[in-house]
Amino acid sequence: MKAEIIDYKTENIPLIAERRKRGEVGIFPCDTIYGICACVGEESAERIYEIKHRPQSKSFIELMTKSDIDRRGLMVDEELLSRWPAPFTAIVKNSEGSTTAVRVPSDEFLQDLLKLTGPIYSTSVNYSGEMSLLTFDDILPVFEDSVDFIVRHPNLVPGQSSTLINAIEKPYKVIRQGKYQFD
């Protein structure tokens, strides 16, 4: 299987959403860097673990809208919620008492996609333990036989990962400093 290349254009959002809903795994720009993504669900998670050669003990970031946060029963205080959308990921408690890493991306393309698909898993484009691949040209030869599609962004400047914080209790703790300056 060779990944289909889809251009990063607003008119392609419904096509990408439909492919996500069918359970396909793709790579596309995720507000900060490219990510391997799929709709939230057990089968999608299994496939991403396999693609990345990643231990199943490591969970994925979930990209979602602010509305999804309420629907999913995530415990996010107003201070944190007011900062989104932004390039930071927060580990928060969910209604079952376990944790979820969540980010509300500021990218309009992603926001529009999330409105059609609901939450999606996102993880860096790399094999577990290796450096993230940051450009389309670096990603294509490594992952074109592993994923269903890759969204090519013509002007994406390779950036930094999202800032990762532990927001289970205050004061919040920065776990990984990234693009967002959390003060």
Side-chain angles (χ1 to χ4, degrees), residues 69-89:
I69 290 171
D70 288 335
R71 282 193 289 276
R72 294 282 306 279
L74 300 177
M75 296 172 201
V76 178
D77 66 34
E78 282 302 315
E79 176 194 347
L80 195 58
L81 197 57
S82 70
R83 293 176 182 246
W84 274 318
F88 75 88
T89 301

Side-chain angles (χ1 to χ4, degrees), residues 25 27 35 79 81 92-93 97 114 135 176-177:
V25 174
I27 295 174
E79 176 194 347
L81 197 57
V92 299
K93 285 200 175 196
L114 289 167
T135 68
R176 176 186 70 210
Q177 184 60 57

Side-chain angles (χ1 to χ4, degrees), residues 15 24 28 54 64 70 87 91 101 107 123 147 155 160 169 173:
L15 166 70
E24 292 186 15
F28 59 86
R54 181 175 172 144
M64 61 184 70
D70 288 335
I91 299 170
D107 181 83
T123 182
V147 297
N155 304 316
Q160 256 183 318
E169 57 187 43
K173 292 184 178 114

Side-chain angles (χ1 to χ4, degrees), residues 106-119:
S106 55
D107 181 83
E108 284 184 47
F109 183 91
L110 265 177
Q111 281 286 327
D112 291 344
L113 179 63
L114 289 167
K115 288 173 188 169
L116 296 175
T117 63

Side-chain angles (χ1 to χ4, degrees), residues 3-169:
E4 180 180 346
I5 307 305
I6 301 172
D7 287 324
Y8 181 87
K9 293 181 180 178
T10 302
E11 60 263 23
N12 287 334
I13 290 174
L15 166 70
I16 297 166
E18 186 55 40
R19 294 186 78 153
R20 290 262 176 257
K21 289 178 184 177
R22 288 195 310 246
E24 292 186 15
V25 174
I27 295 174
F28 59 86
C30 288
D31 204 29
T32 52
I33 60 175
Y34 276 94
I36 298 175
C37 303
C39 284
V40 170
E42 191 173 325
E43 284 182 35
S44 297
E46 292 295 326
R47 183 131 178 255
I48 296 171
Y49 283 122
E50 183 180 305
I51 289 167
K52 285 186 60 98
H53 309 275
R54 181 175 172 144
Q56 292 191 7
S57 59
K58 292 182 160 188
S59 58
F60 303 116
I61 292 171
E62 294 184 26
L63 302 178
M64 61 184 70
T65 64
K66 282 186 174 183
S67 301
D68 291 326
I69 290 171
D70 288 335
R71 282 193 289 276
R72 294 282 306 279
L74 300 177
M75 296 172 201
V76 178
D77 66 34
E78 282 302 315
E79 176 194 347
L80 195 58
L81 197 57
S82 70
R83 293 176 182 246
W84 274 318
F88 75 88
T89 301
I91 299 170
V92 299
K93 285 200 175 196
N94 59 37
S95 57
E96 290 103 40
S98 58
T99 60
T100 301
V102 62
R103 182 167 79 241
V104 179
S106 55
D107 181 83
E108 284 184 47
F109 183 91
L110 265 177
Q111 281 286 327
D112 291 344
L113 179 63
L114 289 167
K115 288 173 188 169
L116 296 175
T117 63
I120 59 175
Y121 291 130
S122 177
T123 182
S124 56
V125 182
N126 61 343
Y127 293 118
S128 188
E130 295 183 7
M131 297 294 294
S132 297
L133 300 174
L134 301 176
T135 68
F136 176 83
D137 291 338
D138 290 338
I139 291 166
L140 185 63
V142 177
F143 285 96
E144 71 180 329
D145 293 327
S146 302
V147 297
D148 299 301
F149 64 94
I150 301 174
V151 176
R152 175 180 42 211
H153 191 303
N155 304 316
L156 185 69
V157 176
Q160 256 183 318
S161 299
S162 65
T163 297
L164 177 63
I165 65 161
N166 182 336
I168 295 170
E169 57 187 43

